[in-house]
Structures are given as structure tokens and as C-alpha cells.
Amino acid sequence: MTTPSFSPASALPQWLRHYQKAWLAGDITAGLIVTVMLIPQSLAYALLAGLPPEVGLYASILPIVAYALLGSSMTLAVGPVAVASLMTASALAPFAVAGTTEYVTLAVQLSLISGAMLLAFGALRLGFLAYFLSHPVISGFITGSAVVIAIGQLKHLLGVRVPSSSTWETLRGLVYALPQTNLTTLALGLGSLVFLVLARRYLSGWLVRVGLPAKVADLVTKLAPMAAVLVSIAVVALWRLDINAKVSVVGVVPQGLPQLGLELPGFTTIGQLWLPALLIALVGFVESVSVAQSLALKRQQRIAPNKELLGLGAANVASALSGGYPVTGGFARSVVNFAAGANTPLAGVVSAALMAVVIASMTGAFYYLPHAALAATIIVAVVSLVDFDTLKEAWHYDRADALSLIATALGVITMGVEVGILMGVALSLGVLVWRSSRPHMAVVGRVPGTEHFRNVERHTVETVPGLLALRVDESLFFANATALEDRIEALIHQDPTVRRVLLVCSAVNQVDTTALGVLTELNTSLAKRGITLELAEVKGPVMDRLQHTALGLALQGRVFQSVHAAFSRPGTA
Amino acid sequence: MTTPSFSPASALPQWLRHYQKAWLAGDITAGLIVTVMLIPQSLAYALLAGLPPEVGLYASILPIVAYALLGSSMTLAVGPVAVASLMTASALAPFAVAGTTEYVTLAVQLSLISGAMLLAFGALRLGFLAYFLSHPVISGFITGSAVVIAIGQLKHLLGVRVPSSSTWETLRGLVYALPQTNLTTLALGLGSLVFLVLARRYLSGWLVRVGLPAKVADLVTKLAPMAAVLVSIAVVALWRLDINAKVSVVGVVPQGLPQLGLELPGFTTIGQLWLPALLIALVGFVESVSVAQSLALKRQQRIAPNKELLGLGAANVASALSGGYPVTGGFARSVVNFAAGANTPLAGVVSAALMAVVIASMTGAFYYLPHAALAATIIVAVVSLVDFDTLKEAWHYDRADALSLIATALGVITMGVEVGILMGVALSLGVLVWRSSRPHMAVVGRVPGTEHFRNVERHTVETVPGLLALRVDESLFFANATALEDRIEALIHQDPTVRRVLLVCSAVNQVDTTALGVLTELNTSLAKRGITLELAEVKGPVMDRLQHTALGLALQGRVFQSVHAAFSRPGTA
């Protein structure tokens, strides 16, 4: 609403320029609580992505600050998330061995490419790209990914090594490796898992009963993963289970802030990573925007999709600059951030600062952290992403959408995240074209004594002999133009007395080149048979474009404002 | 119109059961003339496909008969065509060396897979699959293919050997090979080319001047390629240019009818060929249907797309059974067939029988046929496929369509037929989603003293304080649901007095699961702010589906028959 001023201060984000003291307490509290969630999550998701733990920590500092400067959400918590971590692992698997320096370099470059794409989309205002993904496809994708992730973590729970090039191979490997199960690891993993499940289900209610306010109880519940991490570290350290029982632990995490720097990807790398980078960018964007939007609406705030592209793009570039991997807005942490009272992205900056302190001085504490405990936090986190509600809803409302959802989920599980989501997009578009290729059309007649026109099959209406009035309830374009032509020809075939074909265009919002060609051809071919093509109720924008075409010129004097005008044309009425 | 009777005769196609003597003369004449076109074309297109000449001849017998039994067009001439031949060459190039037995086997299997797909699509009534290709994409594809084909034939005109893995490589190879040009070959090729171009341009006019009826003159002109073939055979044979000047000739063409038989493709072959087979099937189907339809309409006949799928599918399976390669309906031969007076597919059967005679007894005549003369007929045939008219029209009417056309053509030329057409389909769909993601929406008010409602920005209308009436001129689905939500939130932000949001759905033909989710969320989020969501003019089919959803239940009593009813709701009017 205010005119933009070009003072140096205007380079700062609006929330910072107009920061109010009253916001500070909420921002600091939220920043603190989110950090306690973020530490175990960033370690766990790095494990999931096949990266050393410090890469997860690095991705949790600068990206948050970059988003705070450019993003439009007040409460979105950016950083490592489960699905993007899985997509990273799947993108890099063909080109490097997980955990190697080469693998880490590729992960950093993946983040850079993805970030650069998001920035470019933002600059070009291509927010609409996200709309290629329908809700059912996203839901199927997330559910499928959750299953793949959970299955992939089972090896950490069992303490065995299993190849994981595909879901089937992982499952087969697990069965064969079952006899090698490390029982101590399994006990730690299952212990964490049971604790986390119970905490999620009962802790909040119990805390309320002992007197905590419901909101506080909910927040404390979110800290359960940190408790599991701390307890399992203590147990392993106390009995040196890493040596005495060969429990796999995180080990040495390099201490110190990440070095800033950047190795630009070569053409080969770009050729290998552009598609996964694009998919990570799009999926991350769609997820972030939907989380940010639903939180913003609760406080009457607005999200600007193109600013989100810039914010997420900057976050990923910042991640690459500081040795991190692809990040995006996470659902769980954003909700906690919001509930803990975050008023502005300062909450994020607070948690970035705390993460910096942790990395600079406390990474030694993670030495004894067992992988099994991290796997348990991952499994519990992703199982809540499995979404049967959307499937149930889609199944009842729209079978085609439900089938796209199932196909996408199965595609992800059996063929991997990339093939799965591409299949989902292809299916969404396929369903769209299929639906549009069968437009609803109705022959209409006049409701006696009125100027209203209705479907002749549903109402008692008057028609004019020789006049066929057909209403098309869809824009005309390549997928349905032929169907319209077929219908008209069939109707004329049924009634050879037809001399005028009147297309009622009240629901035609667009006519593309293909449909224009079909109509032009139809007009010529009808004319040869002594039949005129006429239009009625053509919308302004459609008429503007038609006017200067061959069809527009040929139809002069045969385009009517209303069906009524066409019906009462002198000489035929 | 007649009830189907299940006598044995009903297995025969309708045209055969009701065959009239009066049709015979036309059918025989057309069959004869088409055969004279078909002989040089089937030899030339086999050359283009990288196949021995007899394969082209084989593809010109049984497929025609199969189509005659199952297809729905009375005049479509099925057989080898230029674009499908190029697609065959491009599909097989990665897997076998042109001309080898292995290559021929793969070509036969490609035809089988493509035919099986067409039959399956026909059985499943999937004719709509063809609608994924918009006219601009088809036009760009054909133009691009014509350029690729013409460039690929230049080596035959020059009489040089050039690798042809890509257009660039072919062009570079031609430049390097220029010094090796065989001048005799070039003379034969250029001679044929000049003759064919002149014949195409002037022969018909000249024949009319010497007294022939215009129609006959047109038909005779179509026989020019046969004349070029005969003359060049005579010239080569007379001076034994194949030996004396090393002119490349067709050589020995095995005499005798094709052996029936079939080597079923293995899984590896199916994996390699399914995508090109699908593309050949779709492109062939789209082209055939559009040719068949435009001819049928001239005689008030109808084409049944699903029967066409069966007809073309059977033709391709028949081609595979008799050692042929992928076939489809050709434009030029169909037009000649029609003009020469073909009344039924019997014309095709006649030309199949004549082809059988040629193969059984006259293949020796082709020994001296120079490749250069065939290349000239191919170049002249495909140059006429280059289509600038559609580009010009699209450029003026719809820039996005024009750009899809150009991108598809350039894609085919620079990256090959498969990538090119896939790019074109992706672009068509991209443009479709992009357009749909920016639906036209208008805030409407009442035209004073009427029950009509118009855009507040274009007309002087009355509004009701606190009531925001928004008309959406598009079906609501995944690509545009968010845009609607954004618009509503922006409008509410501008006018905080809004208490009722009325969605006018007169142009909403469908609401998919994604849009349903967005509307449900919007309703909840508006309700929290004391704003009600209301609907008006919801179409019957849309309302039927909405009714049983959570949104439908939540909106009970807030769905109005008309905008007028919503505006005059007691208490707010």
C-alpha cells in the first residue's frame, strides 16, 4: 500500500524495518524450541541423505538467515527435511558412493543448481510451475516417499548393512541380513521408537493432567526426539556400547563453523543433476508454499509465491555456499515455530545462531549418538506423513484423482522418487486432457415464454425447425475440438433438416489455434452442405481474438449477443 | 440405424455387404492409379527407412486388405509413408545397422508392437489419446520431419556415403563428401528433381490446355514420379551406368510374394521399441484420422475414430505378418484415391492385388532404378509437407501456439523425431496448464434495475456492502485453484468490510480434488475470520458431486440458484 522508498534501509526486509519490541519474546522462545527439534533432525536427515552429520548441521544455519531476508512467510522453518533428503540420496546414488568427498561435493552442487533454478523461476515469476503438481499427486508422492524412507531406515534399527539401490533390493537384503541383527542396536532403536510413539500419543495428555497448559504440553511433546537422542547418547557412552557391543554411532563430527566457499559444477555435473535439482526445487517449493500459506492465513497474513521462490532459492544457494545440501520449508518445525509464538523470521535467525554455537563448540556431544536412535526419529517423523485421508476423499469424490495418487505412490515405491513424481505429473496432465476431451455439451431450446434456454433432454423447451443450438460447457482447445466436430456431425446426421448450427459459447473461455482450425474447417464443410455456422454469447476476450481471423470474417453477421437473438432472427423465427 | 444382426455375413464390413455394381468402375480406376503412385513410393520410403526395397513392397499388400476389412474410411490409402519411415529409421538406428537382417527383423517387430498398441487402444476406446497432439505441434513435427528427411536424401542425390546419426553430422558429412560427388548420379537425381518440380507446377495446366478435363489432368500429374522412375531406369540400363559410372541402384529385389510368418519380439526388444512404437502409432493415427475425416466430410460420410484405431492396428499387424514395416494412412495417395473415384476400400484391395502381381513377377524391372531418382521423389514429396501457413496463422492468433510449433520443429531437426515430438507434447500441455493457471475472474455487480450481473470494472453496477461476488471463468482444478484462493485473499485484504464471499460458478464445468481441497480450506479459514463462503449458479453435474463432500455439507443453505438470489438474500439486501 505504501509507495516504495529507495533508502538504504529499504533493502532490509519489511519485518526487520518495522520490528516491534513486543515481538521479541515470542521470536526468542520459538527460536529456542525449534533449535532443540532441529539438532536431531538435521543429524538424522543427513544420515537419510547419505551425508556426514555435519552437512546436516551446516544446512541449518545460513539457509535460515537467507530465507529470513528474502522469503515472505513469517513462520516457515527452513532447513533439512525428510523428502528432499531422500530425493538427494536418490539423485546422487548413480554418480557417487554415499559418504565420500565426491558425494558431498555433488550434494552441495545439487543444492546450488536447485537454488539457482528457484531464483531464476522467482525472477521470471514462474510460480505457476508449481501448479503442475496436483494435490493427489503430491499426496501420493509424499506417502510413497515416507514408505521408501521408513524401509530404508530399518537397516539402522537392526544394525546391519544392506544395499539400497531399490526398495525391493533393500527388503530382500533385510531378510537375508536378519540373522546378523545386532541385538543391542535393535534394543536401542526399538526403545527409542517405542518411546517416541508413546510420547507422540500420550505425553501431551499426561502433561495436561499434571497441570501444564495444553499449548505448552504440545510443545514439550515435540521435544521428545531430543530426549531420545540425549538418553541414547548417555546409554551408549556409559557402557561404551560402540566398542563393547559394536553399536554404530555418529562418531567424530568436525567442530567449527562451516568454511564458506563454492566449487562450481561442470557441464557434466549439470547434465547429471538438472532433472533431480528441478524436481527437488518444485517439490520443495510446493510443500513450503502450502505450509507457509496455511500458517499465514491463521494470522491474516499473505504469502507471495514469487517471493517464496526467491527466499527458497537464496536458502539453497546459501546452503551450498556453506557446505550444506538441499533445504526447504519443513512442515513439523514450521508448525512448532508458529505454535511457540514466532512473530517474524527473527525466530529463525535465533535458531541459526544457536546452531552456530552448537557446531562451533558442542559437536563432541554427538560422538556416542547411535544411528539406531536417529533412524527411530526418522521413522516416527515420516510415518506421520503417510496420508490416507486424501486418498479416501479422492476415492469418493473423483476416482481418476484417486488412481493418480495410488499410481504415484506405487511409482515412487517401486521405481524411485524421480520416476514416481514424473509419472504423477504425466498422470495429472493425462487426466486433465482426458476430461477435457469429453466436454459436456447440450442441445438447448427456449423455455416457453422466457428468454431462458435449457438442455432439451432435461426440460420441456421450444426449438426452431432447422436450427440446432448446441451449448459447449468447456473452453475449446486441442484436446476437445475434434469431439465438438464429431458431435455436430453426428447431430446433423440424425436430423438432415438442420440448416443452422448455433454454437452457444457462454462457457467457452478460450479457443486455441487447433480449435480455431477445426471451427474454420467445420464452417467451410457445413457451408458446402448449405448449413450455416453461427455463434452466440461469445465472451469479450474470445471475440477480440476471433475477429481478425478467417473464421471471424466468414462469420460476420452470424455472431449473436444472445441465444434469444439467434432464435428470433427474422426469417427463421 | 439398423439393429445389428448376427448372421455370418455381418462379420464382413458394411461396404462389402451392401456393395453396388455402380461403384465398381470408380474403385478399379482408383486402385490402378494409386498403384502407379504406390510402386515408386513404397521403394522410396523403404530406402528412407533404411530397409531393403522389397520390405516397402511387402508393406503395400496385406496392410491395405486388413484396413479394408476393419477401417471406417472409404478412401484412406494405407501403406508406407514418409514420416513413419523416418520414425522407423530413427527408432532402429541405436539397435542395428540399416539394411541388415537384424534391422529388418526389428522393423517388422516395430510394426507388430505399434499395431498391437493401436488394436489395444481401439479395444479400450482410447481414441482420445490422439488429442494429446495439438495442431501446431503436429504441424511443427511434420515440417521438422520434412526438413530432416530432405537433408537425409541429399547424399543419394550426390551419390556419396555420409553418416547420418544427427542432422548436424549429416550436414557436416555432406560438406566433407562434396568432392567425392558422383556427377552422373547427381545428373540423374537433379534431372528427376527438376522434372518432378516442373511437372508438379506446370503439367496439369498444360494438359488442360491440350484438352484434358481438369480432373484427369490432375490425376495424370500425380503419375510423374512413376515416369521419372521409368525414364531413369531406362537411362541407367541403356548405358549400364551402374557399372560404367558407379551409379548406386536398387539392384536385385527378391521376386515372389512375401512369406507369412512372425518372430515375436522378446522383452528386451519390447523395452527398446515401445516408446517409438507408441509415437509412430499416435502420429500415424492422428494423421490418418485427419486425412480420412476431411475426405469423408466432402461426401457426407463419417469416420469412427475407434474403428480407425482397429483398422490401422490390423494393418500394422498384417504388415508385420508379411515382412513389412510400420504403415499408416498417407495424405497424397488418399487424396488421389478419392479424386480418382474410389467409392469403397475395394479400390485398396485392387491396388493390393496389383502390387502382389508386381512383386510376384516384375521386381527385375527395378534392378536399374537409381537411388538418386528415388531420393528426388522423396524430396519433392516431403517439401510439400513443409507448412508455413499454420505457423503464420498461429503467430497472429496465438503466440504460445506458434512458439510450440517452432520449438517442436527445431526439436525434431536438432534432437531427432522422438525427442522433438515429446517436447512438443510437453509444450502443448505446458501451455495448457499455464493458461489455465491464470483464469479470468471478475468481481461482478448488478446492472441497476435488472437481474443481470456484470464485471464492476467494465460496467456501472450496484454492489451490496460486505458482499464480494467473484465470477470465475474456468473450471477449477489443480492448475488454477491456488490462483483463485490468492485472488480472494487479495480482495479481502483490500476491503476488510467483506463478510460474504460469493463465488459465481456459471463457467465452472468441473471441480477436481485439488480445487475441492482448496475450497474446503478456504471455507474454514474464512469462517475463522467471520466471513462466509457462498456459491451461485453451480452447474448440475458439479453440484451432484459436491453435495456429499465435507464442503457441500458445510455450505448447506449457502448455495444460490442465481446471483440475483444471493444479492437479495434477506438481511443483507
Side-chain angles (χ1 to χ4, degrees):
Chain A
M1 303 299 113
T2 53
T3 19
S5 64
F6 290 101
S7 71
S10 71
L12 293 175
Q14 211 174 356
W15 63 265
L16 193 52
R17 271 180 292 153
H18 306 106
Y19 199 85
Q20 295 173 20
K21 246 189 193 164
W23 296 341
L24 199 58
D27 282 343
I28 290 178
T29 317
L32 254 161
I33 293 180
V34 167
T35 309
V36 179
M37 280 182 85
L38 187 53
I39 294 169
Q41 287 196 349
S42 53
L43 295 170
Y45 294 149
L47 175 71
L48 166 54
L51 291 162
E54 65 271 20
V55 178
L57 298 172
Y58 296 162
S60 308
I61 308 175
L62 271 200
I64 307 184
V65 178
Y67 180 82
L69 294 175
L70 287 173
S72 70
S73 165
M74 291 298 111
T75 47
L76 190 72
V78 169
V81 304
V83 172
S85 301
L86 171 66
M87 292 177 85
T88 299
S90 146
L92 305 186
F95 308 116
V97 175
T100 59
T101 318
E102 196 192 349
Y103 188 91
V104 175
T105 306
L106 285 179
V108 169
Q109 294 180 339
L110 183 66
S111 181
L112 183 69
I113 300 171
S114 195
M117 282 174 169
L118 286 165
L119 286 174
F121 294 161
L124 297 169
R125 310 184 72 77
L126 293 184
F128 84 91
L129 277 175
Y131 305 144
F132 275 78
L133 300 169
S134 71
H135 279 198
V137 163
I138 295 270
S139 162
F141 177 70
I142 300 284
T143 298
S145 300
V147 171
V148 172
I149 292 171
I151 290 173
Q153 295 307 308
L154 292 178
K155 63 180 179 215
H156 294 300
L157 281 194
L158 299 173
V160 296
R161 284 178 182 278
V162 158
S164 52
S165 67
S166 76
T167 305
W168 298 137
E169 211 181 301
T170 305
L171 282 174
R172 215 182 50 180
L174 282 171
V175 172
Y176 283 115
L178 222 47
Q180 279 97 54
T181 301
N182 179 323
L183 291 176
T184 317
T185 301
L186 184 62
L188 279 167
L190 281 186
S192 305
L193 199 64
V194 169
F195 166 70
L196 290 170
V197 170
L198 292 179
R200 183 178 277 255
R201 191 161 296 174
Y202 302 111
L203 186 58
S204 168
W206 181 78
L207 288 172
V208 169
R209 276 201 301 282
V210 302
L212 254 68
K215 227 177 123 179
V216 176
D218 272 347
L219 286 177
V220 171
T221 305
K222 302 290 182 192
L223 306 181
M226 186 51 136
V229 161
L230 291 177
V231 170
S232 60
I233 288 177
V235 169
V236 173
L238 206 58
W239 287 288
R240 288 304 308 250
L241 296 180
D242 56 324
I243 290 169
N244 299 328
K246 297 214 169 73
V247 167
S248 170
V249 295
V250 165
V252 177
V253 179
Q255 193 141 310
L257 290 173
Q259 300 254 322
L260 293 191
L262 201 53
E263 194 178 314
L264 287 177
F267 280 113
T268 319
T269 308
I270 293 176
Q272 290 166 341
L273 298 184
W274 74 268
L275 183 61
L278 177 67
L279 294 176
I280 291 174
L282 287 186
V283 170
F285 173 59
V286 174
E287 277 300 284
S288 295
V289 166
S290 80
V291 173
Q293 200 119 43
S294 68
L295 295 177
L297 286 177
K298 292 188 184 173
R299 290 198 191 144
Q300 326 258 31
Q301 295 167 342
R302 304 280 309 132
I303 295 298
N306 286 313
K307 272 188 118 181
E308 282 309 284
L309 283 170
L310 296 178
L312 290 173
N316 276 291
V317 171
S319 189
L321 272 171
S322 53
Y325 75 110
V327 295
T328 189
F331 177 70
R333 290 198 304 274
S334 300
V335 171
V336 167
N337 195 32
F338 181 91
N343 292 306
T344 72
L346 188 71
V349 176
V350 168
S351 95
L354 291 172
M355 287 302 287
V357 171
V358 168
I359 293 169
S361 57
M362 294 162 57
T363 57
F366 306 127
Y367 185 92
Y368 295 111
L369 175 52
H371 284 132
L374 287 180
T377 69
I378 294 176
I379 292 173
V380 172
V382 298
V383 162
S384 69
L385 296 178
V386 172
D387 170 20
F388 285 116
D389 290 350
T390 302
L391 175 59
K392 216 185 301 169
E393 193 185 288
W395 188 259
H396 289 300
Y397 181 70
D398 190 329
R399 211 52 58 90
D401 275 340
L403 293 174
S404 312
L405 188 161
I406 294 172
T408 308
L410 290 180
V412 169
I413 294 171
T414 59
M415 290 182 284
V417 276
E418 283 158 27
V419 175
I421 196 145
L422 289 175
M423 233 176 72
V425 172
L427 272 169
S428 304
L429 295 174
V431 168
L432 171 61
V433 172
W434 175 68
R435 282 204 185 115
S436 308
S437 73
R438 309 150 67 237
H440 184 247
M441 295 184 251
V443 176
V444 297
R446 176 164 31 200
V447 179
T450 72
E451 296 187 11
H452 294 291
F453 293 80
R454 293 282 180 276
N455 192 336
V456 294
E457 287 174 11
R458 295 196 182 188
H459 302 84
T460 317
V461 291
E462 307 164 344
T463 54
V464 173
L467 171 61
L468 171 69
L470 185 69
R471 196 189 66 217
V472 198
D473 289 347
E474 196 85 48
S475 284
L476 294 176
F477 67 108
F478 64 88
N480 62 19
T482 315
L484 170 65
E485 192 185 15
D486 285 350
R487 181 67 174 274
I488 290 176
E489 292 293 347
L491 288 167
I492 293 175
H493 198 76
Q494 272 170 36
D495 177 4
T497 68
V498 169
R499 282 296 157 266
R500 301 167 62 197
V501 172
L502 176 70
L503 272 192
V504 183
C505 301
S506 46
V508 175
N509 306 305
Q510 290 178 10
V511 176
D512 81 347
T513 310
T514 306
L516 178 70
V518 169
L519 288 177
T520 310
E521 225 171 73
L522 182 66
N523 181 49
T524 315
S525 117
L526 288 176
K528 282 189 189 146
R529 288 172 270 169
I531 303 173
T532 58
L533 179 67
E534 306 175 3
L535 305 181
E537 302 192 6
V538 182
K539 302 203 172 201
V542 174
M543 201 58 226
D544 290 349
R545 306 184 83 189
L546 274 185
Q547 236 151 22
H548 306 287
T549 64
L551 181 67
L553 297 174
L555 289 185
Q556 253 165 13
R558 290 193 266 137
V559 179
F560 299 94
Q561 287 287 340
S562 64
V563 188
H564 179 68
F567 266 59
S568 38
R569 194 185 74 168
T572 57
Chain B
M1 300 301 113
T2 53
T3 18
S5 63
F6 291 101
S7 71
S10 72
L12 293 175
Q14 212 173 355
W15 63 265
L16 193 52
R17 271 181 292 153
H18 305 106
Y19 199 86
Q20 295 174 19
K21 246 190 194 163
W23 296 340
L24 198 59
D27 282 343
I28 290 178
T29 318
L32 254 161
I33 293 180
V34 167
T35 309
V36 180
M37 280 182 85
L38 186 53
I39 295 171
Q41 286 195 351
S42 53
L43 295 169
Y45 294 149
L47 175 72
L48 166 54
L51 291 162
E54 65 271 20
V55 178
L57 298 172
Y58 296 163
S60 307
I61 307 176
L62 272 199
I64 307 185
V65 179
Y67 179 83
L69 294 175
L70 287 174
S72 69
S73 165
M74 290 299 110
T75 47
L76 190 72
V78 169
V81 304
V83 172
S85 300
L86 172 66
M87 293 177 85
T88 299
S90 146
L92 304 185
F95 308 117
V97 176
T100 60
T101 318
E102 196 193 348
Y103 189 91
V104 175
T105 306
L106 284 179
V108 169
Q109 293 181 340
L110 183 66
S111 181
L112 182 69
I113 300 171
S114 193
M117 283 175 168
L118 286 164
L119 285 175
F121 294 161
L124 297 170
R125 311 183 71 76
L126 293 184
F128 83 93
L129 276 176
Y131 306 146
F132 275 78
L133 300 168
S134 70
H135 279 197
V137 163
I138 296 270
S139 162
F141 176 72
I142 300 283
T143 297
S145 300
V147 171
V148 171
I149 292 171
I151 290 174
Q153 295 308 307
L154 292 179
K155 63 179 179 216
H156 295 300
L157 281 195
L158 298 174
V160 296
R161 284 178 180 278
V162 159
S164 52
S165 67
S166 77
T167 306
W168 297 139
E169 210 181 299
T170 305
L171 281 174
R172 216 182 50 180
L174 282 172
V175 171
Y176 282 116
L178 221 46
Q180 280 97 55
T181 301
N182 179 323
L183 291 177
T184 317
T185 302
L186 183 61
L188 279 167
L190 282 186
S192 306
L193 199 63
V194 169
F195 167 70
L196 291 170
V197 169
L198 293 178
R200 183 178 277 256
R201 191 161 297 174
Y202 302 111
L203 186 58
S204 166
W206 182 79
L207 290 171
V208 169
R209 275 200 301 280
V210 301
L212 253 69
K215 229 178 123 180
V216 176
D218 272 347
L219 286 177
V220 171
T221 304
K222 301 292 182 192
L223 307 181
M226 186 50 134
V229 161
L230 292 176
V231 171
S232 60
I233 288 178
V235 169
V236 173
L238 207 58
W239 288 289
R240 288 303 309 249
L241 297 179
D242 56 323
I243 291 170
N244 299 329
K246 297 212 168 74
V247 168
S248 169
V249 295
V250 165
V252 176
V253 180
Q255 193 141 310
L257 290 173
Q259 300 254 321
L260 293 190
L262 200 54
E263 194 179 314
L264 287 176
F267 280 113
T268 319
T269 308
I270 293 176
Q272 289 166 341
L273 298 184
W274 74 269
L275 183 61
L278 177 67
L279 295 176
I280 291 174
L282 287 187
V283 170
F285 173 59
V286 174
E287 277 300 285
S288 295
V289 166
S290 80
V291 173
Q293 200 119 44
S294 67
L295 295 177
L297 286 177
K298 291 188 185 174
R299 291 199 191 144
Q300 326 259 29
Q301 295 168 343
R302 303 280 311 133
I303 296 298
N306 287 312
K307 273 187 118 181
E308 283 309 284
L309 283 170
L310 295 178
L312 290 173
N316 276 290
V317 171
S319 189
L321 271 171
S322 53
Y325 75 111
V327 296
T328 188
F331 177 71
R333 289 197 305 274
S334 300
V335 170
V336 168
N337 196 33
F338 181 91
N343 292 306
T344 72
L346 187 71
V349 176
V350 168
S351 91
L354 291 172
M355 289 301 288
V357 171
V358 168
I359 293 170
S361 57
M362 293 160 59
T363 56
F366 306 127
Y367 185 92
Y368 295 111
L369 175 52
H371 284 133
L374 287 180
T377 70
I378 294 176
I379 291 174
V380 172
V382 298
V383 162
S384 70
L385 296 178
V386 172
D387 170 21
F388 284 117
D389 290 350
T390 302
L391 176 59
K392 216 186 301 169
E393 193 185 287
W395 187 261
H396 290 300
Y397 181 71
D398 190 327
R399 211 51 59 88
D401 275 340
L403 293 174
S404 314
L405 188 161
I406 295 172
T408 307
L410 290 180
V412 169
I413 294 170
T414 59
M415 290 181 285
V417 275
E418 283 158 28
V419 176
I421 196 144
L422 289 175
M423 233 176 73
V425 172
L427 271 170
S428 304
L429 295 174
V431 168
L432 172 61
V433 172
W434 175 69
R435 282 204 185 114
S436 308
S437 72
R438 309 149 68 236
H440 184 247
M441 294 184 250
V443 176
V444 297
R446 175 163 33 199
V447 179
T450 72
E451 295 187 13
H452 294 293
F453 293 80
R454 293 282 180 277
N455 192 336
V456 295
E457 287 174 13
R458 295 195 182 189
H459 303 83
T460 316
V461 290
E462 306 164 345
T463 54
V464 173
L467 171 60
L468 171 69
L470 185 68
R471 197 189 67 217
V472 198
D473 289 348
E474 197 86 47
S475 283
L476 294 176
F477 67 106
F478 64 88
N480 62 19
T482 315
L484 170 66
E485 192 185 14
D486 285 350
R487 181 67 173 274
I488 291 175
E489 292 293 348
L491 288 167
I492 294 175
H493 198 77
Q494 272 169 36
D495 177 4
T497 68
V498 168
R499 282 295 156 266
R500 302 167 62 197
V501 172
L502 177 70
L503 272 192
V504 183
C505 301
S506 46
V508 175
N509 306 307
Q510 292 177 9
V511 176
D512 81 349
T513 310
T514 306
L516 178 70
V518 168
L519 288 177
T520 310
E521 226 171 73
L522 183 67
N523 180 49
T524 316
S525 118
L526 289 176
K528 282 189 189 147
R529 289 171 271 170
I531 303 173
T532 57
L533 179 68
E534 305 175 5
L535 304 180
E537 302 192 7
V538 182
K539 303 203 170 201
V542 174
M543 201 58 226
D544 289 349
R545 307 183 83 189
L546 274 184
Q547 236 152 22
H548 306 286
T549 64
L551 181 67
L553 297 174
L555 289 185
Q556 252 165 10
R558 290 192 267 137
V559 179
F560 299 94
Q561 287 286 341
S562 65
V563 188
H564 179 69
F567 266 59
S568 38
R569 195 185 72 169
T572 57

